[in-house]
Amino acid sequence: MPDGRYDIVLEGLARFTVLRELQVTTPFRQVEAELEEAGTGEVLAMAERASLEMESRRFADGLGYAVDWEAVTRLDDESLVNGIAQIAPFDVASKQALLEADGLSARAELVVQLMQFFGRHGEEGGVTLQ
């Protein structure tokens, strides 16, 4: 592709939808894909944002993280959700689920559920955060 979109996809800088799998003999998958628009401008409802911030404080405190909460409150919704998803020490399957979540609201809800699950189980010693 002359516009360099292959590099963007390979580096994980853009989301895409697989339209069809190509029949190839290479040792890696090849697909026909459609790039999704970046930055959809989605925002969370006030209750979703409040729940996310409250649970992230509880989670960070439980792990002993030092966080500039004033700076966190200034983040836009997408940066907050994606930042937590990247920084939180969830297991690989959880991180994959976050990548596959359909939309910001669904990803935010999943982040909250994961923080609650891993926070509770981490305290009980049953699940080790990675």
Side-chain angles (χ1 to χ4, degrees):
M1 213 178 279
D3 61 6
R5 291 194 298 173
Y6 281 139
D7 292 334
I8 291 171
V9 171
L10 291 176
E11 292 177 16
L13 300 176
R15 293 178 67 105
F16 61 91
T17 302
V18 174
L19 300 175
R20 69 180 182 94
E21 187 95 22
L22 301 176
Q23 297 298 319
V24 295
T25 58
T26 57
F28 51 88
R29 292 176 68 188
Q30 292 186 41
V31 300
E32 183 178 317
E34 180 175 87
L35 291 176
E36 295 177 9
E37 289 189 35
T40 60
E42 285 184 83
V43 294
L44 299 174
M46 286 178 31
E48 288 176 306
R49 174 72 185 225
S51 174
L52 179 65
E53 286 187 21
M54 183 180 71
E55 195 58 45
S56 63
R57 281 178 187 259
R58 189 179 345 217
F59 188 72
D61 289 347
L63 292 175
Y65 287 1
V67 177
D68 180 353
W69 293 110
E70 186 177 317
V72 169
T73 62
R74 292 191 304 264
L75 290 173
D76 63 90
D77 294 342
E78 189 168 13
S79 295
L80 176 60
V81 172
N82 293 342
I84 293 170
Q86 292 171 4
I87 294 169
F90 301 139
D91 61 31
V92 175
S94 299
K95 295 256 185 179
Q96 184 64 40
L98 288 166
L99 285 172
E100 294 176 8
D102 191 24
L104 183 62
S105 189
R107 195 164 49 255
E109 182 179 333
L110 184 54
V111 164
V112 168
Q113 291 172 357
L114 289 168
M115 287 189 293
Q116 291 170 342
F117 176 80
F118 281 103
R120 275 195 297 273
H121 286 78
E123 292 168 4
E124 297 168 6
V127 173
T128 303
L129 297 173
Q130 296 182 10

